[in-house]
Amino acid sequence: MSVPGNSPDNRVRTLSDLGWDEDLTKSFSRYTCPYVAGRVAAAQRTVYDVMLPGRSVLVPVSGALQKIRSFPVVGDFVVLLDDNATGPDMIVAILPRKTALSRGGAGEKKGEQILAANIDYAFIVTDCGPDFSLARLERYLMIVFASGARPVIIINKTDLSDDLSIISEATAELGPDIPVVFTSAVKATGPALLEPYLQPGKTVVCIGSSGVGKSTLINAMAGRDLQKTSGIREDDGKGRHTTTVRELFYLPSGAVIIDTPGLREIRIWTAKESLPDVFDDILKLAQGCRFSDCGHKTEPGCAVLQAVAQSELSEERLKRYHKIQKELAFESDKAEIGLKRFEKKRWKGIAGFSKEIQEYRRH
Ligand SMILES: Nc1nc2c(ncn2[C@@H]2O[C@H](COP(=O)(O)OP(=O)(O)O)[C@@H](O)[C@H]2O)c(=O)[nH]1
Ligand SMILES: [Mg+2]
Ligand SMILES: [Zn+2]
């Protein structure tokens, strides 16, 4: 039996309002009645809050999807079986994702953890105080570029700072192609600057540390307290308690916005292909190095080190690049050969080393 989800948003009249496009129409064309499509507004353990034109339902995934461990995430467009009078009662398929924002999974257990799907823009939110860190921004940029979405950096809480020039100078290091917007969610000066990204049919995800003002910004963009108005269902009709806090909202501008809780750790190991996007300056300089496999550490004829010596590139940025590269090399090594074999290799390394020592002693 079907259970109503969070209170429906009456302004959502068509699937296009939710960001539906022609590719999705094509993918969905093989499903006919009794199937309908909707968008996942919140995902929680076993139930999903799915928005459909004019309504909202709280439903599980089908047994078949559970069996293959295929679970939707917020932002997914899904196919629902709707063959009874009470409304759709389960998700039977996830339609192909246009983009997927993910971070490397925890250890060897999972390949990756998808945070949100079908995103056009990712607002990477930070503040101009204690949260501000170029290293953190670069890590977020790594996962955003890998997702296929376009990043926008938002420096919030500008009302708390007297001098933003230091922050402006620092963000310039990230390159000319990444938009940086300064906002104050409480003064309503900033949200207007975000309008270019809030076009009808576009989906935006807000990511960043907890407490930087993501939810406050979303409320400002919506012109009302969305988090409060999102109802919480206490009962799923089977006597069990389920609470699903909506994360996906339809904005008055016609855009869809997704809120996320703060990430404690940004694991980047599935984002290797983002290096040229995030460290374009260093990789361009590297083309001038004498050795094509230059590590930019001590090599003679290194154009990157030369740029640092001439203060064209900051030493700190090069250090952060080395750190990310090291992490990527280590993680892909682990991913490629599998953790077990990796451990073995390490042991063999140690065994080989002690053999060497024995031989050395013998001489
Ligand atoms: N001074 C100031 N406070 C803000 C601003 N934006 C958010 N806050 C406050 O920062 C705290 C955390 O905001 P919240 O939106 O919950 O952060 P989230 O965890 O990123 O969603 C709240 O107390 C907000 O009122 C801002 O632009 N200026
Ligand atoms: Mg929040
Ligand atoms: Zn070099």
Side-chain angles (χ1 to χ4, degrees):
M1 115 163 215
S2 177
V3 174
N6 287 307
S7 53
D9 190 325
N10 295 324
R11 295 162 309 158
V12 176
R13 299 223 165 80
T14 64
L15 280 170
S16 312
D17 289 336
L18 290 171
W20 185 266
D21 62 14
E22 274 175 27
D23 287 337
L24 287 162
T25 302
K26 263 185 227 150
S27 311
F28 187 61
S29 62
R30 64 195 188 93
Y31 298 93
T32 48
C33 189
Y35 296 105
V36 293
R39 192 163 194 193
V40 175
Q44 194 145 350
R45 271 196 223 122
T46 55
V47 285
Y48 299 84
D49 179 30
V50 181
M51 280 168 104
L52 298 97
R55 56 188 173 149
S56 169
V57 292
L58 205 57
V59 288
V61 296
S62 69
L65 284 183
Q66 275 181 43
K67 217 176 208 169
I68 58 167
R69 305 203 57 72
S70 172
F71 299 105
V73 298
V74 63
D76 262 326
F77 285 98
V78 291
V79 179
L80 302 122
L81 179 63
D82 187 14
D83 63 352
N84 63 39
T86 58
D89 49 16
M90 70 168 127
I91 296 168
V92 296
I94 302 165
L95 291 171
R97 291 169 178 147
K98 183 171 66 175
T99 61
L101 183 68
S102 68
R103 58 165 179 172
E108 76 277 25
K109 248 169 63 193
K110 277 204 184 115
E112 65 176 346
Q113 182 190 358
I114 299 178
L115 304 168
N118 302 309
I119 310 298
D120 295 291
Y121 295 106
F123 286 177
I124 303 171
V125 188
T126 181
D127 62 23
C128 43
D131 186 66
F132 184 84
S133 143
L134 286 175
R136 184 180 299 111
L137 290 176
E138 284 160 354
R139 298 176 76 82
Y140 272 116
L141 286 170
M142 289 292 290
I143 63 168
V144 170
F145 276 112
S147 77
R150 297 191 62 87
V152 179
I153 290 175
I154 298 183
I155 314 285
N156 190 38
K157 303 199 187 184
T158 52
D159 56 295
L160 298 179
S161 171
D162 299 329
D163 184 11
L164 293 168
S165 61
I166 301 164
I167 304 256
S168 302
E169 272 167 38
T171 51
E173 254 184 56
L174 301 173
D177 300 329
I178 296 158
V180 180
V181 184
F182 289 82
T183 61
S184 167
V186 292
K187 285 211 169 150
T189 45
L193 300 169
L194 301 173
E195 273 164 22
Y197 307 103
L198 306 177
Q199 292 156 24
K202 296 283 181 209
T203 300
V204 179
V205 68
C206 280
I207 51 177
S209 311
S210 175
V212 293
K214 296 180 296 295
S215 303
T216 314
L217 271 172
I218 289 175
N219 286 341
M221 286 182 251
R224 65 194 173 110
D225 196 345
L226 281 172
Q227 317 298 55
K228 232 180 216 163
T229 52
S230 72
I232 290 169
R233 275 327 274 199
E234 288 290 314
D235 190 0
D236 69 354
K238 290 172 191 144
R240 273 186 289 121
H241 283 284
T242 48
T243 53
T244 320
V245 179
R246 180 170 289 162
E247 290 166 338
L248 179 147
F249 304 96
Y250 181 70
L251 292 177
S253 72
V256 167
I257 196 141
I258 297 175
D259 199 0
T260 62
L263 294 180
R264 261 196 228 105
E265 196 190 346
I266 315 142
R267 290 182 293 260
I268 55 165
W269 68 277
T270 50
K272 197 167 197 158
E273 71 270 26
S274 301
L275 270 183
D277 294 302
V278 185
F279 293 99
D280 177 55
D281 50 348
I282 294 178
L283 294 179
K284 275 214 182 98
L285 283 167
Q287 287 171 2
C289 295
R290 187 180 304 164
F291 304 114
S292 62
D293 62 345
C294 183
H296 326 305
K297 283 188 174 144
T298 52
E299 292 87 343
C302 173
V304 176
L305 291 176
Q306 196 189 336
V308 172
Q310 292 171 345
S311 304
E312 283 159 20
L313 174 71
S314 92
E315 195 177 351
E316 295 306 311
R317 181 152 161 96
L318 180 58
K319 269 191 198 154
R320 296 194 301 268
Y321 170 78
H322 278 144
K323 189 164 174 268
I324 282 188
Q325 252 218 336
K326 203 171 146 195
E327 210 171 310
L328 287 172
F330 174 76
E331 293 295 357
S332 69
D333 197 10
K334 216 161 73 172
E336 275 157 27
I337 61 181
L339 195 72
K340 275 216 182 93
R341 286 182 53 203
F342 176 76
E343 290 293 323
K344 238 190 216 163
K345 192 173 125 184
R346 213 178 70 190
W347 278 109
K348 220 167 106 190
I350 292 169
F353 182 58
S354 53
K355 211 167 128 195
E356 252 171 46
I357 291 175
Q358 281 167 12
E359 269 168 24
Y360 175 81
R361 283 197 185 129
R362 245 181 268 141
H363 290 129

